[in-house]
């Protein structure tokens, strides 16, 4: 085994896939005959590729239901308040400041798209992100309690820089679910950022939690220093359907 083959094997052990790939190019040392030039290029390539892999991995682990970018949002269809707040939210300072973002308004106005888009931006910026629906989260909490792994789940939840909770208000909870969710979000208050989407105004959250004291306490914790974005407007999906119908020749 020559030195080049030995270096390829070393790269496997050291987990340097980009450098290993470079070494498999028979002409690489003709292009970089000077050792220092090759080493600089190889290490730069490995670093760049590692950053790309890390960003891709963060997006994968965030469990987004689909890929929705902020650039894909049609700004003219976005509710006015959301369009005005978007440039500030894109800076992601709410994550470093451990503030929440509450997207409250009508169905179909882009709440989930906006939440996912901000989540992907956070992943690209190096933050650890989780996306889940409120309903799925409550089910996981119940399962964790029954399996006596609730504290492990809570610790894992606390480690995310940003948690996106989608669809608050679509399904109401029983007493156990409401209390578990309250406890989990209370633990996170001031320690990490949340983005929550809801089709219900705050005065209707009692319809979901069925406990006025708990609802009031949770609303107080979530809205403290939060960005509250008014997402009331015409449904983007309905507008898209209307445009589609107009283009059809029935």
């Amino acid at each position: 085994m020559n030195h080049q083959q030995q270096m390829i094997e070393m790269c496997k052990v050291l987990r340097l896939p980009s450098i290993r790939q470079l070494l498999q190019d028979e002409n690489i040392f003709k292009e970089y005959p000077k050792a220092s030039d090759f080493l600089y290029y190889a290490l730069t390539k490995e670093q760049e590729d590692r950053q790309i892999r890390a960003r891709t991995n963060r997006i994968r682990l965030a469990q987004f239901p689909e890929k929705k970018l902020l650039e894909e949002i049609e700004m003219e269809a976005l509710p006015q308040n959301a369009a005005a707040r978007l440039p500030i939210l894109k800076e992601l300072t709410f994550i470093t400041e451990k503030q929440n973002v509450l997207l409250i308004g009508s169905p179909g106005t882009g709440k989930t798209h906006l939440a996912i888009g901000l989540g992907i931006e956070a992943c690209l910026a190096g933050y650890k992100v989780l996306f889940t629906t409120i309903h799925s989260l409550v089910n996981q909490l119940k399962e964790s309690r029954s399996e006596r792994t609730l504290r492990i789940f809570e610790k894992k939840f606390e480690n995310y820089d940003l948690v996106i909770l989608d669809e608050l208000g679509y399904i109401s909870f029983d007493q156990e679910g409401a209390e578990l969710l309250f406890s989990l979000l209370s633990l996170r208050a001031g320690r990490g950022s949340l983005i929550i989407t809801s089709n219900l105004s705050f005065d209707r959250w009692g319809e979901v939690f069925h406990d006025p004291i708990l609802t009031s306490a949770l609303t107080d914790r979530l809205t403290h220093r939060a960005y509250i974005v008014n997402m009331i407007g015409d449904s983007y999906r309905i507008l898209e359907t209307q445009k589609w119908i107009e283009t059809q020749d029935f």
Side-chain angles (χ1 to χ4, degrees):
M1 184 181 293
N2 60 36
H3 286 170
Q4 188 169 353
Q5 291 173 328
Q6 287 178 333
M7 287 189 292
I8 291 172
E9 292 303 314
M10 290 177 188
C11 286
K12 289 181 181 179
V13 175
L14 296 173
R15 297 182 181 179
L16 301 171
S18 297
I19 296 179
R20 186 178 76 240
Q21 187 174 5
L22 288 176
L23 290 169
Q24 291 170 337
D25 182 356
E26 294 295 332
N27 298 314
I28 191 65
F29 294 115
K30 293 179 182 178
E31 188 174 353
Y32 297 95
K34 192 175 179 181
S36 60
D37 289 342
F38 169 75
L39 185 59
Y40 177 79
Y41 173 73
L43 291 175
T44 301
K45 178 66 173 171
E46 187 69 51
Q47 184 181 48
E48 290 174 350
D49 289 351
R50 185 166 294 186
Q51 290 172 345
I52 292 172
R53 291 192 297 270
R55 289 195 292 266
T56 301
N57 196 45
R58 284 192 295 271
I59 291 173
R60 179 182 61 83
L61 293 175
Q63 302 178 40
F64 298 113
E66 52 189 322
K67 187 177 179 180
K68 288 181 175 290
L69 305 177
L70 293 179
E71 292 77 11
E72 297 170 341
I73 294 177
E74 293 189 19
M75 296 300 294
E76 65 275 10
L78 203 62
Q80 185 176 0
N81 184 249
R85 292 291 187 92
L86 185 54
I88 300 173
L89 296 176
K90 283 176 65 175
E91 295 176 1
L92 303 179
T93 53
F94 70 91
I95 299 178
T96 57
E97 296 296 325
K98 297 179 172 51
Q99 295 173 277
N100 298 331
V101 177
L102 307 178
L103 307 174
I104 312 295
S106 318
T109 53
K111 296 187 297 296
T112 300
H113 188 151
L114 188 54
I116 292 175
L118 289 170
I120 290 177
E121 288 291 317
C123 289
L124 296 176
Y127 293 109
K128 188 177 180 181
V129 179
L130 172 68
F131 179 99
T132 183
T133 64
I134 291 282
H135 178 64
S136 175
L137 178 61
V138 170
N139 285 339
Q140 291 179 68
L141 286 168
K142 288 184 176 181
E143 290 174 7
S144 297
R145 171 181 271 184
S146 65
E147 295 170 2
R148 297 183 179 180
T149 58
L150 183 58
R151 186 53 192 153
I152 295 174
F153 183 88
E154 289 173 340
K155 290 291 291 182
K156 182 179 178 182
F157 191 82
E158 291 173 10
N159 288 332
Y160 290 102
D161 300 302
L162 172 64
V163 176
I164 301 171
L165 303 179
D166 199 27
E167 299 181 347
L168 175 64
Y170 284 85
I171 299 175
S172 61
F173 314 123
D174 56 19
Q175 188 67 26
E176 180 191 14
E179 290 175 356
L180 285 170
L181 183 62
F182 174 79
S183 176
L184 184 71
L185 299 187
S186 294
L187 286 172
R188 189 172 175 82
R191 300 181 183 179
S193 295
L194 293 167
I195 295 178
I196 297 179
T197 74
S198 178
N199 62 327
L200 297 179
S201 57
F202 296 121
D203 60 349
R204 294 185 58 192
W205 280 20
E207 298 173 17
V208 177
F209 294 100
H210 306 295
D211 184 328
I213 297 176
L214 184 149
T215 302
S216 177
L218 182 60
T219 303
D220 181 67
R221 283 169 170 77
L222 293 177
T223 57
H224 179 61
R225 298 176 55 244
Y227 288 92
I228 302 173
V229 183
N230 185 340
M231 297 291 293
I232 295 175
D234 295 327
S235 170
Y236 177 72
R237 288 189 289 269
I238 291 176
L239 292 174
E240 271 197 330
T241 302
Q242 290 173 342
K243 290 179 182 179
W244 178 82
I245 291 174
E246 291 171 0
T247 64
Q248 303 305 302
D249 184 16
F250 293 106

